[in-house]
């Protein structure tokens, strides 16, 4: 899609800009024209997939979907499928200095908790960054290693987006764990300007016109079941983000949609066959459909 090509172009431009920043003539011996101060390693504006973490000599494979991102405001954010981890991150040359990391405190499965603990240990203090092609290695002074790979942006249309985060202004809340499999919110955009999925309780379908970095959602139609309050609350938050014009960005496998009033969702690309209903959901229902008002 045109929007995907734009996202890739912006990412490349950001990398070129960062690579140019910080390079200047320096004093010293050797080389025609003198030495130069090393440019900042271009890690900002790239979606990094976490491959593994090695702490105290013990290597931990990261859960599928684990990610690390450095934003332009000097903040690093990591996620392993459960809690959100963040820390200040200053890049200077090939060194990245993390501030004390903070994390949400949800209970996770054993493998995820192990990866999160390793990340919290690695994201504390100074690390050396080494970029080799699409691979990034962060090594702490104690020898702990963060191994990452650059993620290519997923296509907006045709991708099954599983909603993981609910946004309200500057506040981000994880979608409640333990939702029934058929009620985990997700959405899929069609090439024909449509969207369908599940909002947390009910399935829905509607119009979604994409223009540049804006998606204009039409009123959704769908089933009208009643579910437990946690699921209904999630549904209300999801539908609030899919109301009228909204801006969107894709970084690697992560989609962010934000409406004009600051309501939004964060979603992760997942295989279209995660459940068996993707090909038919949002089109017909034995319970009937009607517009959500």
């Amino acid at each position: 899609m045109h929007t995907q090509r734009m996202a890739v172009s912006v990412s490349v431009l950001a990398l070129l800009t960062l690579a140019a920043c910080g390079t200047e003539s320096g004093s010293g011996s050797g080389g025609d024209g003198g030495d130069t101060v090393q440019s900042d390693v271009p890690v900002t504006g790239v979606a990094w997939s976490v491959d593994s973490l090695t702490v105290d000599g013990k290597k931990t494979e990261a859960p599928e979907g684990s990610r690390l991102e450095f934003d332009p405001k000097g903040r690093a954010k990591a996620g392993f499928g459960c809690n959100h981890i963040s820390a200040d991150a200053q890049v200077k040359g090939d060194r990245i200095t993390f501030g004390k990391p903070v994390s949400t405190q949800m209970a996770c499965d054993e493998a995820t908790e192990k990866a999160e603990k390793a990340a919290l240990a690695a994201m504390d203090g100074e690390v050396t960054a080494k970029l080799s092609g699409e691979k990034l290695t962060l090594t702490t002074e104690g020898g702990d290693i963060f191994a990452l790979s650059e993620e290519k942006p997923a296509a907006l249309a045709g991708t099954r987006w599983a909603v993981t985060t609910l946004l309200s202004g500057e506040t981000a809340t994880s979608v409640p764990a333990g939702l029934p499999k058929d009620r985990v919110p997700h959405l899929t955009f069609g090439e024909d300007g449509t969207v369908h999925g599940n909002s947390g309780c009910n399935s829905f379908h509607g119009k979604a016109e994409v223009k540049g970095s804006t998606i204009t959602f039409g009123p959704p139609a769908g089933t009208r079941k009643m579910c437990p309050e946690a699921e209904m609350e999630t549904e209300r938050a999801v539908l609030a983000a899919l109301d009228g014009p909204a801006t969107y960005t894709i970084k690697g496998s992560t989609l962010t949609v934000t409406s004009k009033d600051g309501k939004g969702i964060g979603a992760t690309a997942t295989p279209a066959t995660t459940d068996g209903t993707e090909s038919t959901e949002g089109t017909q229902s034995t319970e009937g459909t009607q517009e959500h008002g």
Side-chain angles (χ1 to χ4, degrees):
M1 292 183 66
H2 170 72
T3 52
Q4 183 183 3
R5 292 197 299 270
M6 178 182 292
V8 174
S9 298
V10 171
S11 178
V12 171
L13 179 59
L15 288 176
L16 292 175
T17 302
L18 283 167
C21 293
T23 303
E24 59 185 22
S25 297
S27 60
S29 60
D32 292 335
D35 295 336
T36 58
V37 176
Q38 185 176 6
S39 301
D40 290 345
V41 174
V43 298
T44 303
V46 181
W48 298 104
S49 173
V50 182
D51 301 325
S52 65
L53 304 98
T54 302
V55 178
D56 295 331
K58 296 179 181 179
K59 183 176 180 180
T60 300
E61 297 297 329
E64 185 176 354
S66 300
R67 291 172 180 83
L68 174 67
E69 182 181 341
F70 298 88
D71 68 28
K73 298 179 181 179
R75 194 80 177 162
K77 300 176 183 178
F80 298 85
C82 186
N83 285 294
H84 298 281
I85 301 171
S86 63
D88 290 332
Q90 301 301 319
V91 183
K92 187 174 183 180
D94 65 347
R95 301 298 177 94
I96 301 174
T97 303
F98 290 104
K100 193 69 176 177
V102 295
S103 173
T104 54
Q105 299 295 317
M106 294 187 295
C108 314
D109 62 83
E110 185 177 351
T112 302
E113 284 187 356
K114 186 177 180 181
E116 288 181 349
K117 287 179 180 178
L120 287 167
M123 293 173 64
D124 190 2
E126 188 175 83
V127 301
T128 300
K130 181 180 180 181
L131 188 63
S132 178
E134 297 178 351
K135 299 288 186 179
L136 175 66
T137 302
L138 306 179
T139 306
T140 69
E141 293 179 338
D144 296 337
I145 299 172
F146 232 133
L148 310 106
S149 300
E150 181 181 352
E151 282 192 278
K152 300 301 182 184
L156 176 66
T159 299
R160 184 184 187 278
W161 297 102
V163 180
T164 58
T165 308
L166 306 175
L167 308 173
S168 180
E170 296 296 319
T171 303
T173 306
S174 296
V175 169
L179 290 178
K181 185 176 179 180
D182 62 342
R183 294 175 189 170
V184 174
H186 60 86
L187 59 160
T188 301
F189 295 90
E191 295 282 0
D192 58 352
T194 61
V195 62
H196 69 274
N198 189 290
S199 50
C201 175
N202 291 282
S203 60
F204 72 93
H205 60 94
K207 296 292 185 182
E209 181 183 356
V210 180
K211 197 170 188 180
S213 60
T214 300
I215 304 173
T216 301
F217 294 96
T223 57
R224 299 286 286 183
K225 297 179 294 183
M226 293 299 294
C227 298
E229 181 56 28
E231 295 161 33
M232 298 304 296
E233 186 176 348
T234 297
E235 177 164 280
R236 288 190 289 270
V238 170
L239 293 177
L242 310 182
D243 182 18
T247 58
Y248 84 95
T249 59
I250 297 176
K251 292 183 179 179
S253 300
T254 301
L255 167 70
T256 302
V257 178
T258 309
S259 67
K260 59 183 180 298
D261 62 358
K263 303 293 185 182
I265 57 172
T268 300
T270 58
T273 55
T274 295
D275 61 37
T277 62
E278 182 60 24
S279 61
T280 59
E281 185 176 32
T283 54
Q284 298 291 329
S285 170
T286 57
E287 300 179 50
T289 62
Q290 55 182 286
E291 286 193 0
H292 292 274

